């Protein structure tokens, strides 16, 4: 079979690029992990509604994993809501809300291990209210309240926070009328892990006595060993305090002081560590200028990884999905970001390119030099940057599905880069995408030499074979897909066999019965192409490859039918394998496929396999065998009757009785052309036969069984259709062997069934079409 392009799969080996919609889906039968992911996409109300539908989902909806974080920002948070949620919140760690009708609401969640509280518009909260909340949640690591908070809060509650929450790392309070230096000192004494502090919209930060000012607060903050960020926007902080703070603190990286009137016009401050931009003006600028200014004003003294973690994904999502920006311009921006030396920026840009690369947008990426940029990512970043390398390899794999791009990737060293990733990277996602990239590079065997080139890279085939034994479903699937494509090349087939790839493929087929459709198809496909070699076919049969292929032929999926039937067809060319197929119940399975598979190609392949088994060769071998030949002959005779009937039924499904009713007129060129159009199976163009196989079908035209004569002529018709991929190859084989004369004899013989005569005349017409 021709190599085929591999689409993107998730970690379980499931195809993410296809858009196939099943007629019906039993959602209750889905595995635990996929359904758990579905639940994570819902808010708390929808989760509760979904959980109420059945017992299985009720248990799923109560999973502690779903209730570690709770966003109530869009709902009224009161006692009734708290009561309805309390039994699920034992492991709750994060809560976000807007407005707080009663402090008891938060307390009644009974989330003793709550680590993060974020609220706004809490105008009615008092010292007593907040103190009660704080006292019940001693494990707090982050407390962020505001805007719309603080007018009724005093410095006393900050002391409570300091004493009750020694694990506190982030504190952000907005709108307090005053914050005493004693409160700040208390935070420094009791909360040594504080890394981020924010007091915003505070009218003053000073002790109420006349001899205390900002200097005491600065001294307290300077003693915090982990303090990296301080936000004092819209306060009365002055130049001396900021300068002293930046000098005294060894850990502080950024001070935010938006709209601090005493600082805005101070030219002596270090702009690398103090951000003074006016937020309102910044947000009103055009988006492109805003992004540029944000990058330009990123303080050099702060950690870019942490500072950009939230901003970069949003920005890149905006670039990918905003329709106002021209496609090429978006791609140019993303490629520019992919060149960044910041790991997070490069990773997010590569991920966006991965998402854009399937389908039509890949042209814009290729035209903008995307192949070279993605290749640079693979070479520049170390192997422990798994997610970044996965995204880059995934984008390259998509681009490699196009013939021209695949040649460019190979020219830029893509084969070596992807082999290195497959061989040396421990990150499973990166391994899977690199294997898919190699499979797609090998998917153009008739138009370039990438397929053969991959086999020449030291260790490439050996590593891919090893990956078929991975415990990761996606890695196994992509490795099997790569073997499927690579085995199309004859030399690669020999090397794969020498490295134990045939045995590994049989083992994979035996282990994939209860896995994804895509993995089953890939495992059967690898055996299909490997079995083009007679030596490999013998090994596959000897190693136990026939039972799993017969089992896969029972699959409910048409794609699996095609790959399994194709492999069985190749294997049945050998009489020992043919007998094993019969003994494994393959006749019944193939017969059902002949008449009921959704795939016409699968039905055709099943009919060809049955024809190979019962064309007479197997009978001769059984007669020549010693003991048990009589019983075997009887079983074969019974099986042959069923097989012939199945083949005949297949032929009937492919022909139009009305056309075949008028025998004389069928032999005119126009009617023969009409027959060809009606019976042609376009997908059969991927099939490539050897001279011996073509000869077997020609000799089958003389078989005593009419059904075998029909399928033989029908097969030769499919193999010689003008314009098909391998038609010229098949026609050349037939001309060189002198088969046109035999076709004329078969078409004229009185013993030839009517359908076979018509098909034979169509084949002769196809041969004439290909003559010089």
């Amino acid at each position: 079979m021709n190599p085929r392009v591999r689409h993107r799969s998730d970690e379980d080996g499931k195809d993410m690029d296809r858009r196939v919609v099943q007629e019906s889906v039993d959602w209750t039968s889905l595995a635990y992990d996929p359904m758990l992911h579905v639940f994570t996409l819902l808010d708390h109300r929808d989760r509760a509604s979904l959980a109420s539908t059945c017992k299985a989902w009720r248990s799923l909806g109560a999973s502690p994993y779903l209730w570690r974080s709770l966003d109530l920002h869009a709902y009224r948070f009161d006692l009734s809501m708290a009561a309805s949620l309390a039994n699920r919140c034992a492991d709750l760690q994060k809560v976000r809300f807007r407005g707080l009708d009663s402090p008891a609401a938060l307390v009644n969640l009974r989330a003793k291990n709550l680590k993060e509280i974020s609220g706004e518009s809490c105008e009615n909260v008092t010292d007593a209210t907040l103190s009660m909340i704080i006292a019940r949640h001693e494990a707090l690591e982050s407390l962020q309240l505001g805007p719309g908070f603080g007018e009724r809060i005093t410095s006393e509650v900050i002391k409570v926070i300091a004493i009750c929450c020694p694990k506190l790392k982030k504190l952000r309070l907005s709108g307090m009328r005053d914050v005493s230096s004693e409160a700040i000192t208390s935070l420094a004494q009791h909360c040594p892990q504080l890394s981020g502090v924010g007091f915003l919209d505070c009218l003053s930060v000073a002790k109420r006595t006349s001899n205390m000012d900002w200097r005491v607060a600065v001294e307290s903050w300077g003693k915090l060993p982990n303090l990296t960020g301080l936000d004092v926007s819209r306060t009365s902080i002055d130049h001396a305090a900021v300068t002293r703070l930046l000098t005294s603190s060894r850990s502080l990286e950024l001070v935010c002081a938006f709209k601090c009137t005493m600082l805005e016009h101070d030219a002596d401050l270090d702009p690398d560590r103090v951000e003074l931009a006016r937020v309102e003006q910044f947000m009103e600028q055009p988006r492109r200028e805003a992004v540029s200014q944000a990058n330009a004003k990123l303080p050099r003294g702060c950690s870019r990884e942490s500072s950009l973690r939230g901003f970069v994904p949003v920005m890149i999502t905006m670039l990918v999905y905003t329709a106002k920006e021209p496609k090429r311009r978006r791609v140019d921006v993303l490629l520019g970001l992919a060149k960044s030396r910041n790991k997070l920026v490069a990773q997010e840009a590569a991920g966006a390119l991965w998402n854009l690369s399937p389908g039509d947008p890949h042209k814009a990426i290729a035209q903008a030099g995307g192949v070279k940029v993605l290749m640079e990512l693979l070479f520049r970043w170390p192997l422990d940057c798994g997610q970044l390398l996965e995204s880059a390899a995934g984008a390259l794999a998509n681009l490699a599905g196009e013939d021209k791009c695949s040649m460019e990737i190979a020219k830029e060293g893509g084969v070596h880069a992807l082999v290195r990733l497959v061989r040396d990277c421990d990150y499973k996602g990166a391994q899977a995408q690199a294997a898919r990239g190699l499979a797609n590079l090998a998917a153009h065997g008739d138009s370039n030499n990438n397929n053969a080139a991959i086999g020449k890279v030291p260790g490439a085939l050996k590593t891919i074979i090893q990956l078929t034994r991975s415990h990761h479903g996606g890695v196994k699937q992509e490795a099997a897909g790569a073997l499927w494509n690579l085995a199309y090349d004859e030399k690669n087939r020999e090397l794969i066999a020498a490295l134990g790839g045939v045995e590994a493929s049989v083992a994979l087929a035996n282990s994939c019965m209860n896995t994804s459709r895509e993995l089953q198809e890939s495992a059967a496909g690898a055996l299909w192409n490997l079995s083009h070699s007679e030596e490999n076919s013998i090994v596959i049969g000897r190693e136990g490859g026939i039972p799993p292929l017969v089992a896969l032929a029972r699959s409910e999926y048409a794609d699996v039918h095609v790959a399994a039937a194709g492999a069985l067809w190749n294997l049945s060319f050998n009489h020992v394998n043919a007998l094993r197929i019969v003994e494994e119940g393959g006749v019944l399975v193939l017969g059902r496929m002949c008449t009921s598979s959704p795939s016409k190609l699968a039905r055709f392949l099943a009919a060809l396999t049955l024809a190979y088994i019962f064309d007479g060769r197997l009978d001769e071998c059984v007669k020549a065998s010693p003991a048990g030949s009589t019983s075997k002959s009887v079983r074969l005779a019974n099986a042959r009757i069923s097989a012939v009937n199945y083949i005949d039924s297949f032929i009937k499904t492919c022909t139009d009785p009305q056309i075949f009713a008028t025998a004389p007129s069928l032999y005119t060129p126009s009617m023969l052309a009409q027959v060809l159009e009606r019976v042609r199976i376009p997908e059969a163009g991927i099939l490539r036969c050897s001279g011996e196989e073509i000869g077997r079908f020609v000799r089958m035209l003389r078989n005593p069984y009419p059904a075998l004569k029909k399928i033989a002529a029908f097969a030769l018709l499919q193999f010689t259709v003008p314009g098909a991929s391998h038609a010229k190859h098949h026609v050349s084989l037939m001309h060189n062997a002198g088969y046109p004369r035999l076709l004329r004899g078969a078409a004229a013989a009185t013993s030839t069934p009517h359908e076979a005569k018509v098909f034979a005349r169509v084949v002769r017409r196809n041969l004439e079409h290909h003559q010089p």
Side-chain angles (χ1 to χ4, degrees):
M1 178 185 176
N2 281 13
R4 53 183 296 176
V5 173
R6 309 292 306 169
H7 295 282
R8 174 181 178 181
S9 304
D10 66 7
E11 64 180 11
D12 293 323
K14 296 183 178 178
D15 196 334
M16 296 175 65
D17 285 342
R18 295 181 179 177
R19 295 294 182 265
V20 179
V21 180
Q22 300 294 334
E23 292 182 359
S24 62
V25 177
D26 182 5
W27 288 90
T28 60
S29 67
L30 290 180
Y32 182 88
D33 288 345
M35 275 310 302
L36 187 64
H37 179 68
V38 171
F39 270 79
T40 63
L41 303 177
L42 307 175
D43 62 23
H44 69 281
R45 288 188 176 181
D46 290 338
R47 287 179 193 169
S49 298
L50 193 59
S52 66
T53 57
C54 66
K55 184 177 179 180
W57 286 0
R58 188 179 304 114
S59 173
L60 191 66
S63 170
Y65 176 80
L66 296 173
W67 299 97
R68 293 179 183 174
S69 179
L70 192 58
D71 189 349
L72 304 173
H73 190 262
Y75 305 95
R76 181 179 179 182
F77 187 28
D78 53 17
L79 284 172
S80 61
M81 176 176 285
S84 66
L85 296 172
N87 63 342
R88 300 180 178 91
C89 294
D91 297 313
L92 185 66
Q93 296 183 5
K94 302 178 182 179
V95 64
R96 180 184 178 217
F97 55 86
R98 181 182 179 89
L100 192 63
D101 290 354
S102 170
L106 191 57
V107 174
N108 284 358
L109 286 177
R110 298 200 295 272
K112 297 181 180 179
N113 297 318
L114 200 60
K115 294 182 178 181
E116 296 184 21
I117 295 178
S118 177
E120 58 184 82
S121 300
C122 307
E123 294 87 353
N124 297 328
V125 174
T126 63
D127 279 3
T129 301
L130 191 54
S131 296
M132 181 177 67
I133 294 172
I134 296 302
R136 298 293 184 94
H137 303 100
E138 298 180 356
L140 270 183
E141 295 179 3
S142 175
L143 178 63
Q144 302 185 61
L145 299 173
F149 166 86
E151 292 187 1
R152 304 174 65 182
I153 298 297
T154 69
S155 294
E156 296 304 315
V157 80
I158 297 178
K159 298 178 183 178
V160 174
I161 294 171
I163 295 172
C164 294
C165 304
K167 298 180 180 180
L168 198 65
K169 296 179 181 179
K170 294 181 181 180
L171 177 65
R172 184 181 176 90
L173 301 176
S174 174
M176 296 180 63
R177 290 187 176 277
D178 63 280
V179 181
S180 68
S181 56
E182 290 98 330
I184 296 174
T185 301
S186 181
L187 281 174
Q189 291 176 347
H190 298 286
C191 303
Q193 298 183 48
L194 273 174
S195 60
V197 176
F199 290 102
L200 292 78
D201 299 293
C202 301
L203 299 181
S204 63
V205 180
K207 189 173 180 179
R208 294 175 184 173
T209 57
S210 58
N211 61 343
M212 295 296 293
D213 55 20
W214 275 94
R215 285 178 293 182
V216 176
V218 167
E219 289 175 4
S220 299
W221 284 329
K223 294 176 182 178
L224 290 170
N226 299 310
L227 185 66
T228 58
L230 177 65
D231 193 342
V232 288
S233 299
R234 294 176 294 280
T235 65
S236 59
I237 193 168
D238 57 22
H239 170 273
V242 173
T243 302
R244 189 178 300 109
L245 184 61
L246 295 175
T247 304
S248 62
S249 176
R250 296 183 177 181
S251 60
L252 190 63
E253 296 177 347
L254 178 65
V255 177
C256 288
F258 294 116
K259 295 202 72 174
C260 293
T261 55
M262 300 183 66
L263 297 177
E264 286 187 347
H265 304 293
D266 197 324
D268 296 329
L269 288 176
D270 181 3
D272 286 342
R273 300 184 71 189
V274 183
E275 178 57 84
L276 301 174
R278 293 181 178 272
V279 178
E280 292 81 6
Q281 295 178 1
F282 179 83
M283 297 304 293
E284 290 172 359
Q285 292 176 357
R287 182 180 62 223
R288 200 173 311 157
E289 294 181 16
V291 172
S292 175
Q293 184 172 343
N295 287 330
K297 285 185 173 291
L298 182 67
R300 292 193 296 271
C302 74
S303 169
R304 293 177 179 266
E305 183 81 9
S306 59
S307 300
L308 290 177
R309 188 168 299 278
F311 175 70
V312 170
V314 174
M315 178 186 67
I316 290 182
T317 300
M318 175 181 69
L319 288 170
V320 173
Y321 294 107
T322 300
K324 295 179 181 179
E325 291 283 357
K327 184 187 301 182
R328 177 61 185 269
R329 187 173 300 174
R330 276 185 288 158
V331 168
D332 288 340
V333 173
L334 289 172
L335 291 175
L337 291 171
K339 298 176 183 178
S340 171
R341 294 187 178 182
N342 182 283
K343 175 185 172 183
L344 178 64
V345 175
Q347 178 177 304
E348 293 294 338
L353 290 168
W354 186 10
N355 288 332
L356 279 175
S357 55
D360 186 62
H362 81 271
K363 297 179 181 178
I365 297 175
Q367 292 171 357
V371 169
K372 187 173 182 179
V373 173
L374 291 168
M375 289 300 306
E376 289 175 352
L377 287 175
L378 294 187
F379 286 118
R380 185 198 319 156
W381 292 95
L383 292 172
D384 57 358
C385 300
Q387 291 183 350
L388 192 159
L389 296 175
E390 177 189 17
S391 296
L396 278 173
N398 287 342
L399 295 177
E402 198 272 331
D403 184 23
K404 187 176 180 180
C405 286
S406 73
M407 290 189 287
E408 185 179 354
I409 292 170
K411 182 180 178 181
E412 293 290 340
V415 174
H416 290 274
L418 293 172
V419 169
R420 168 179 170 267
L421 208 57
V422 167
R423 184 182 60 229
D424 300 331
C425 184
D426 294 329
Y427 192 76
K428 300 304 180 185
Q431 280 188 329
Q433 295 310 316
R436 186 169 69 91
L438 291 173
N440 285 351
L441 285 176
H444 313 281
D446 291 327
S447 58
N448 61 52
N449 61 354
N450 287 347
N451 197 322
I454 294 172
K456 295 177 182 178
V457 176
L461 296 178
K462 182 178 180 180
T463 302
I464 292 172
I465 292 169
Q466 291 172 345
L467 291 183
T468 63
R469 305 184 181 96
S470 172
H471 296 295
H472 188 279
V475 173
K476 284 197 295 188
Q477 176 189 315
E478 302 304 348
L483 284 181
W484 184 356
N485 284 355
L486 289 166
Y488 181 74
D489 180 81
E490 184 177 356
K491 291 184 178 179
N492 282 346
R493 276 201 302 272
E494 296 175 359
L495 290 172
I496 291 169
L499 293 169
V502 176
E503 293 83 353
S505 298
V506 171
L508 180 60
N510 273 297
S511 66
C512 71
M513 293 302 138
N514 297 316
T515 60
S516 67
R517 174 187 63 189
E518 290 77 13
L519 180 53
Q520 293 179 8
E521 181 191 9
S522 296
L527 290 175
W528 185 359
N529 271 356
L530 287 170
S531 61
H532 281 300
S533 160
E534 187 173 1
E535 293 79 7
N536 289 350
S537 291
I538 295 172
V539 174
I540 292 170
R542 186 181 65 232
E543 293 295 321
I546 289 175
L549 286 170
V550 172
L552 289 172
R554 297 189 183 100
S555 169
E556 60 182 306
Y557 304 115
D559 291 344
V560 181
H561 288 176
V562 172
L568 289 171
W569 176 40
N570 282 349
L571 292 171
S572 65
F573 193 86
N574 176 272
H575 69 276
V576 177
N577 289 337
L579 183 59
R580 283 180 180 150
I581 294 172
V582 175
E583 292 173 344
E584 291 295 332
V587 173
L588 178 60
V589 175
L590 291 166
R592 289 176 175 173
M593 190 187 296
C594 273
T595 55
S596 61
S597 174
S599 168
K600 200 169 184 178
L601 177 60
R603 299 201 300 270
F604 178 47
L605 290 169
L608 296 183
T609 306
L610 292 174
Y612 268 10
I613 295 174
F614 295 106
D615 68 348
R617 286 194 182 187
L618 188 56
D619 296 302
E620 297 174 3
C621 297
V622 169
K623 289 178 182 178
S625 64
S629 60
T630 303
S631 60
K632 284 183 180 179
S633 297
V634 172
R635 290 198 301 272
L636 281 178
N638 294 331
R640 179 183 290 106
I641 295 173
S642 298
V644 168
N645 290 333
Y646 288 133
I647 293 172
D648 214 25
S649 297
F650 166 73
I651 295 295
K652 289 179 180 178
T653 63
C654 295
T655 56
D656 188 341
Q658 294 180 352
I659 294 180
F660 282 82
T662 55
S665 64
L666 272 177
Y667 302 142
T668 64
S670 61
M671 288 303 294
L672 291 176
Q674 189 174 349
V675 171
L676 176 61
E677 186 63 28
R678 292 290 183 91
V679 303
R680 181 189 179 188
I681 303 174
E683 299 85 355
I686 64 174
L687 303 177
R688 180 184 174 96
C689 298
S690 65
E692 191 173 357
E693 288 173 307
I694 292 292
R696 190 163 181 174
F697 284 113
V698 172
R699 289 188 292 273
M700 206 181 294
L701 292 171
R702 299 174 179 175
N703 196 282
Y705 289 93
L708 293 182
K709 293 180 180 180
K710 294 178 186 178
I711 190 64
F714 184 85
L716 292 171
L717 180 154
Q718 303 297 333
F719 298 149
T720 57
V721 172
S725 300
H726 304 293
K728 290 184 178 180
H729 164 72
H730 295 144
V731 169
S732 176
L733 293 176
M734 294 183 71
H735 276 297
N736 294 338
Y739 291 148
R741 180 177 56 83
L742 296 177
L743 280 170
R744 286 195 298 270
T750 56
S751 61
T752 302
H754 176 53
E755 294 90 343
K757 287 183 178 182
V758 176
F759 295 150
R761 287 178 181 271
V762 176
V763 175
R764 288 176 56 194
R765 182 176 177 273
N766 291 345
L767 296 179
E768 293 170 359
H769 174 86
H770 286 95
Q771 285 182 348

